[in-house]
Amino acid sequence: MLRKLKKSTAVPNEVNLEVPPGQFITQKFPVLTYGQTPVVNQDKWVFKVFGSVNEELEVDFKTLLSLPQTQLNRDFHCVTQWSNLDNLWEGVQFKEILSIINLKPEARHAMVHCYGGYNTNLTIDTLMESDVLLAHKHNGEPLTPEHGSPVRLVVPSRYGWKSAKWVNGVEFMETEQPGFWEKMGYHNNGNPWKEQRYQSS
Ligand SMILES: Nc1nc2c(c(=O)[nH]1)N[C@H]1C(S)=C(S)[C@@H](COP(=O)(O)O)O[C@H]1N2
Ligand SMILES: [Mo]
């Protein structure tokens, strides 16, 4: 999805309908990490699928590359009000992972886990969206350590905190459990177009 955007103007949402309400466009790709950047070697990277599944699964980097690869261009919206436009992501659609596992019928929710201890919750319906990726490239280059190397989640339809960096697993669950920021009061769903910033909104 390529669109022509006036990239040089930083304008608030009232005049620029390209970004969700309350967001400002930045040309940069700011780093937003709580705590330290974990160092994760690509050869040691493993993504574990567990919880409400009939059989657990472990995906390593080679396996990830052997799955069908998808490229997509999406805007990124951080709840701290910056948005950056037109990020080209490359990786595996999360629904590809969901298609090779066998979820228990009661599974509805997921917790995505990361090296370093960060986590965030999403519904399985959200993870099924076709632009949710386990991404290993950004704008044609392998992810840098600060941006989640070797693999991060990208959830374009939600605020940036759902796009977990340095992912190492997904846990499927029957009930909704809050992740790191959600426990601090951020929204369980976090749709920027509905301005779902905080749990009360
Ligand atoms: N593991 C981990 N993932 C994370 C975060 C974090 O602190 N730790 N921050 C989140 C937030 S708040 C945002 S906005 C995006 C920022 O991604 P970037 O640093 O690549 O711009 O990563 C998200 N993923
Ligand atoms: Mo963020």
Side-chain angles (χ1 to χ4, degrees), residues 69-186:
Q69 303 292 305
T70 297
Q71 279 194 352
L72 42 88
N73 200 308
R74 288 294 184 277
D75 301 342
F76 193 94
H77 312 292
C78 174
V79 72
T80 63
Q81 292 189 290
W82 56 265
S83 291
N84 73 342
L85 307 180
D86 293 334
N87 296 280
L88 180 66
W89 300 105
E90 185 176 328
V92 173
Q93 286 176 302
F94 203 90
K95 66 175 192 188
E96 192 72 40
I97 305 289
L98 285 161
S99 75
I100 56 179
I101 60 162
N102 209 339
L103 282 176
K104 291 201 169 152
E106 63 271 20
R108 292 288 176 277
H109 297 269
M111 187 70 81
V112 175
H113 296 279
C114 304
Y115 291 94
Y118 184 90
N119 60 10
T120 187
N121 59 289
L122 292 146
T123 64
I124 296 174
D125 284 349
T126 303
L127 287 174
M128 283 294 291
E129 290 176 6
S130 48
D131 58 0
V132 173
L133 291 191
L134 279 175
H136 53 84
K137 279 190 177 171
H138 177 255
N139 292 344
E141 300 290 336
L143 294 181
T144 59
E146 339 46 279
H147 288 297
S149 164
V151 183
R152 76 178 298 166
L153 190 70
V154 176
V155 188
S157 68
R158 297 296 183 269
Y159 281 118
W161 85 80
K162 302 280 187 185
S163 290
K165 301 188 280 190
W166 317 287
V167 288
N168 69 2
V170 61
E171 179 182 1
F172 291 106
M173 308 174 303
E174 241 175 282
T175 57
E176 185 168 61
Q177 306 292 331
F180 179 81
W181 285 118
E182 293 84 2
K183 271 188 197 155
M184 313 264 216
Y186 285 88

